[in-house]
Amino acid sequence: MKYIEEFRDGDVARRLADRMAREARAGRTYRLMEFCGGHTHALWRYGIVEMLPPEIEMIHGPGCPVCVLPIGRLEQAITLARRPEVTLCTFGDMMRVPARDRRSLLKAKAEGADIRMVYGSADALRFAKDHPAREVVFFAIGFETTTPATAVVVKQAAEQGMGNFSVFCNHVLTPSAIDAILGSPEAKEGRIQVDGFVGPGHVSTIIGSAPYERFAREHRKPVVVSGFEPLDLMQSILMLVRQLNEGRHEVENEYTRAVVRDGNPVAIALVEEVLELRPSFEWRGLGTLPDSGLRLREKYAAWDAEKKWSIPYEPVADHKSCACGEILRGLKKPTDCKIFGTACTPESPVGSCMVSPEGSCAAYYAYGRLLKNHRRPAASGEA
Ligand code: SF4
């Protein structure tokens, strides 16, 4: 299949692995953060982590939208869904994320709340059209990849004068998360050490590669925007190793078949028209970050579920045994969590990172938990 098979060629993968092993310098460590949860899963699913030389360590980033949504926002969704007139439309994985006291949208549904699983915002809008007597709320989450799809349905609902549709908007921004990690106290103390970033592919199809140029310049960290097939990732990692060896910190684009420097101008303009920055937004693991989340503009207030229903926000702490926060900041790996694979499994998740198909705990559980050695780099590296 075009654009699939040529990016999964085992011989090419072995040659790339040999090249990495030759070019990675003994005695230094290359700590590379893959921002995106889709990349984390690809690294484990295709066995790439096992092909890397010991000098290269992959650190998993916060790029999983289900994982970074804090429990307080999930509690708001449950409160909304319990209103008798409301039908809450949500992505399937969101339904299983544990909220306060191990509640979830799935349990709320079992208790009688009208909660429907959808594959996208268009499904929710269609449901609202087909059920004019119901107040249909779309539980919108995601990074810049899915934000345009939310903006489209808000605009369509406004154009069609649909009064029974609204959006509970939880969209967040990738650059803010990278800023938060690189500017965190742990990074300043050297407890989080990231030498370079595998940049998100899907997000970059919308925003382009240009927004990373500031990080590369200010933090002196190379970024390589990567696709999701195994050869994409191996090539991107090799490109990062080469930049670090040569002392460069530039933005490079491996995913040229989908990403251009300035992104998708139509999608960017649409988002700009419908959504605006929130002054602050709480993230799981990263805390409350300024200018990191989006809400509907005043012009579209009639389709904003938070305004329509006035649901107060209250922060809720994660389960005390759950290390999702530290994992999302790159401080820990899933196997560092004391209850990984025992009290916390995909069938009975304790934290969000075990639920989502982009969560790193789910990736380790599905593809890596039976591996004897989670290899660690042998030596500490130069900056
Ligand atoms: S294994 Fe479960 S409890 Fe531990 S960090 Fe992952 S999601 Fe949280």
Side-chain angles (χ1 to χ4, degrees), residues 11 31-32 61 88 130 148 204 231 243 262 304 317 354:
D11 288 337
R31 296 184 187 88
L32 309 178
L88 186 85
D130 294 345
S204 306
L231 297 189
Q243 283 210 46
D262 294 322
D304 185 339
M354 189 58 97

Side-chain angles (χ1 to χ4, degrees), residues 358-372:
E358 294 186 304
S360 43
C361 296
Y364 273 57
Y365 190 88
Y367 308 115
R369 73 188 192 282
L370 302 178
L371 296 177
K372 284 222 164 56

Side-chain angles (χ1 to χ4, degrees), residues 326-348:
E326 287 119 310
I327 291 169
L328 291 166
R329 294 202 299 282
L331 265 176
K332 285 189 175 175
K333 298 243 158 90
T335 39
D336 295 327
C337 173
K338 289 192 187 84
I339 57 173
F340 169 83
T342 53
C344 182
T345 63
E347 292 73 33
S348 180

Side-chain angles (χ1 to χ4, degrees), residues 5 21 39 41 159 244 252 282 335 372:
E5 281 160 18
H39 283 153
H41 275 253
E159 284 166 359
L244 289 164
E252 293 179 321
E282 188 189 353
T335 39
K372 284 222 164 56

Side-chain angles (χ1 to χ4, degrees), residues 141-262:
I141 64 160
F143 287 89
E144 293 89 336
T145 319
T146 48
T147 308
T150 298
V152 165
V153 292
V154 172
K155 214 174 156 195
Q156 288 176 337
E159 284 166 359
Q160 294 166 29
M162 289 177 63
N164 71 321
F165 178 77
S166 58
V167 167
F168 177 39
C169 185
N170 296 276
H171 285 294
V172 287
L173 302 174
T174 304
S176 311
I178 299 179
D179 264 334
I181 288 171
L182 292 177
S184 68
E186 289 115 337
K188 286 174 188 148
E189 290 160 10
R191 290 199 289 136
I192 299 175
Q193 292 184 19
V194 179
D195 298 320
F197 287 91
V198 176
H202 293 149
V203 162
S204 306
T205 61
I206 305 296
I207 66 172
S209 60
Y212 313 116
E213 289 168 6
R214 182 177 60 79
F215 303 114
R217 200 173 47 247
E218 287 179 9
H219 296 285
R220 302 177 68 81
K221 308 283 182 199
V223 178
V224 175
V225 176
S226 177
F228 293 84
E229 294 301 327
L231 297 189
D232 285 317
L233 276 162
M234 295 187 75
Q235 178 66 31
S236 300
I237 293 168
L238 180 62
M239 288 163 77
L240 283 168
V241 167
R242 285 179 176 164
Q243 283 210 46
L244 289 164
N245 284 349
E246 293 162 15
R248 291 186 289 123
H249 42 86
E250 297 165 11
V251 176
E252 293 179 321
N253 180 13
E254 182 277 337
Y255 201 22
T256 52
R257 64 190 184 280
V259 173
V260 294
R261 182 179 178 275
D262 294 322

